[in-house]
């Protein structure tokens, strides 16, 4: 209860954090999967409960008032403790049924997670697992909403993500390299090649990742500056999935940056060829993030194992 014995809905607190992160009512409402008018009413009700304005709506994007800034870390701590209490209570009731909850980006859920988790189970024993596979932005939302315990994704030291800002611990558990590849000509050379002169007004076709994907973020930050205006190019196709870009590259549609492990067979068979020098490759980490609050016994055991590097397979 709040001032004047007004009731408090815990959903309003989650809505507050969503708006504090995005600063945009429409995007925050979408992230919370509710209509914007209802979302706005929730924020207004929370401010009435608190007795003070929490957001400055005259700013674009909306920003926290001094009261909101003081409120936010206390609220995050409260929700974290509530989630921890709920998880521990569930674990005490039935640890085996609690299981492990992962979010993972599409390719890692298919190509990395199965063998890696088999290694984990060799030490911890069989575990029940719930897996949510999606693009990085959606997986980060699940972590920030505390719907999962762990996030498996690619990362790069120069490209901080949303979870770093929110204090989620991270441990690298593998390595991968993004290579620029293109279909092979009959003579074995790439159909398109970075760094070579091109005829006047000819643009290199690029097969790109959507900006909401983790690989798209890293390429945009680390490699796109190399293209600049010196390498005439245009994006002819974009997708979330590396597997889709691989299929388009095999069809000769352009250059795609793909994980080495995904194209190893095609490179060995000569169907795809590396389309640039070493400066165009991007070394990445395979990362595991965890929730910052105390988790169930099974989840904490997995994290201790990962921190000791005893369960890290070679990708």
């Amino acid at each position: 209860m709040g001032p004047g014995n007004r009731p408090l809905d815990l959903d309003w607190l989650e809505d507050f954090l969503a708006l504090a992160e995005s600063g945009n009512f429409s995007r925050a409402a979408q992230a919370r999967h509710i209509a914007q008018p209802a979302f706005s009413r929730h924020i207004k009700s929370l401010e009435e409960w608190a007795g003070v304005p929490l957001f400055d709506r005259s700013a674009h994007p909306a920003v926290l008032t001094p009261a909101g800034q003081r409120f936010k870390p206390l609220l995050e701590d409260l929700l974290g403790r509530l989630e921890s209490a709920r998880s521990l209570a569930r674990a005490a009731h039935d640890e085996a049924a609690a299981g492990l909850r992962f979010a993972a980006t599409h390719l890692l859920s298919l190509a990395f997670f199965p063998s890696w988790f088999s290694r984990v189970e060799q030490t911890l024993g069989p575990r029940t697992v719930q897996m949510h596979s999606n693009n990085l932005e959606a997986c980060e939302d699940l972590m920030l909403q505390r719907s999962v315990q762990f996030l498996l994704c690619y990362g790069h030291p120069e490209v901080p993500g949303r979870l770093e800002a929110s204090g989620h611990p991270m441990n690298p558990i593998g390595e991968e390299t993004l290579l620029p590849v293109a279909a092979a000509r009959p003579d074995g050379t790439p159909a398109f090649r970075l760094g070579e002169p091109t005829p006047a007004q000819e643009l290199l076709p690029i097969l790109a990742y959507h900006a909401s994907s983790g690989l798209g973020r890293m390429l945009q930050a680390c490699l796109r500056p190399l293209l600049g205006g010196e390498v005439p190019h245009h994006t002819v196709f974009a997708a979330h999935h590396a597997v889709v870009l691989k299929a388009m590259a095999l069809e000769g549609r352009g250059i795609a940056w793909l994980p080495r492990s995904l194209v190893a067979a095609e490179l060995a068979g000569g169907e795809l060829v590396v389309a640039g020098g070493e400066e165009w490759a991007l070394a990445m980490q395979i990362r595991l993030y965890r929730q910052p609050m105390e988790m169930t016994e099974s989840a904490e055991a997995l994290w201790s194992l990962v921190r000791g590097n005893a369960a890290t397979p070679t990708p």
Side-chain angles (χ1 to χ4, degrees):
M1 306 296 284
N5 290 325
R6 292 183 60 85
L8 172 65
D9 189 327
L10 289 180
D11 283 342
W12 302 347
L13 307 182
E14 300 281 5
D15 295 340
F16 170 86
L17 292 179
L19 182 57
E21 180 188 350
S22 70
N24 181 281
F25 278 80
S26 178
R27 287 199 301 270
Q30 186 177 14
R32 293 284 293 147
H33 305 291
I34 61 176
Q36 183 176 337
F39 181 87
S40 297
R41 287 196 299 272
H42 290 181
I43 297 299
K44 183 64 175 175
S45 295
L46 179 60
E47 290 178 319
E48 291 175 354
W49 177 88
V52 292
L54 299 174
F55 289 95
D56 180 359
R57 294 166 173 75
S58 65
H60 299 283
V63 297
L64 292 169
T65 62
Q69 293 172 6
R70 184 68 179 272
F71 186 60
K72 183 173 180 286
L74 298 174
L75 174 57
E76 290 172 330
D77 180 67
L78 171 63
L79 290 177
R81 289 174 181 273
L82 286 172
E83 177 61 25
S84 179
R86 182 174 66 171
S87 295
L88 292 173
R90 288 176 174 177
H93 174 68
D94 189 349
E95 173 65 23
L100 297 169
R101 305 190 307 276
F102 287 87
T105 50
H106 292 291
L107 184 58
L108 288 174
S109 67
L110 295 170
F112 181 86
F113 181 84
S115 62
W116 173 78
F117 196 71
S118 292
R119 291 279 300 275
V120 169
E121 289 188 314
Q122 288 175 16
T123 301
L124 297 184
R127 290 291 188 273
T128 300
V129 174
Q130 296 181 30
M131 168 63 74
H132 300 266
S133 180
N134 213 315
N135 61 58
L136 180 59
E137 187 173 285
C139 289
E140 288 173 332
D141 285 341
L142 289 173
M143 281 291 284
L144 292 168
Q145 295 164 11
R146 294 175 292 280
S147 299
V148 295
Q149 299 157 324
F150 299 101
L151 168 60
L152 182 65
C153 64
Y154 292 114
H156 191 280
E158 296 181 14
V159 189
R162 294 158 65 195
L163 298 186
E164 278 83 0
S166 56
H168 286 70
M170 181 276 293
N171 198 74
I173 60 173
E175 297 178 345
E176 181 61 278
T177 303
L178 278 182
L179 298 173
V181 299
R185 296 191 181 105
D187 62 0
T189 60
F192 311 99
R193 184 173 179 84
L194 296 157
E196 288 187 350
T198 58
Q201 297 185 347
E202 183 174 326
L203 302 177
L204 278 176
I206 301 297
L207 308 173
Y209 295 93
H210 283 303
S212 61
S213 74
L215 297 180
R217 288 187 197 173
M218 284 179 281
L219 284 172
Q220 188 71 29
C222 298
L223 290 183
R224 289 301 185 187
L226 285 176
L227 289 171
E230 301 177 4
V231 181
H233 67 282
H234 66 140
T235 298
V236 296
F237 185 81
H240 284 294
H241 306 295
V243 173
V244 176
L245 297 184
K246 173 183 170 180
M248 295 297 286
L250 285 167
E251 290 294 325
R253 301 296 297 273
I255 297 173
W257 273 264
L258 299 172
R260 186 191 300 272
S261 60
L262 180 64
V263 295
E266 288 76 14
L267 290 174
E271 299 170 83
L272 292 175
V273 186
V274 177
E278 292 183 0
E279 70 274 16
W280 294 101
L282 179 62
M284 305 180 296
Q285 295 173 327
I286 299 174
R287 295 177 168 183
L288 187 71
Y289 289 87
R290 62 157 287 171
Q291 291 292 350
M293 77 287 293
E294 185 179 2
M295 300 185 294
T296 65
E297 183 178 341
S298 288
E300 292 292 352
L302 183 147
W303 184 252
S304 295
L305 188 62
V306 167
R307 293 287 291 173
N309 295 320
T312 304
T314 300

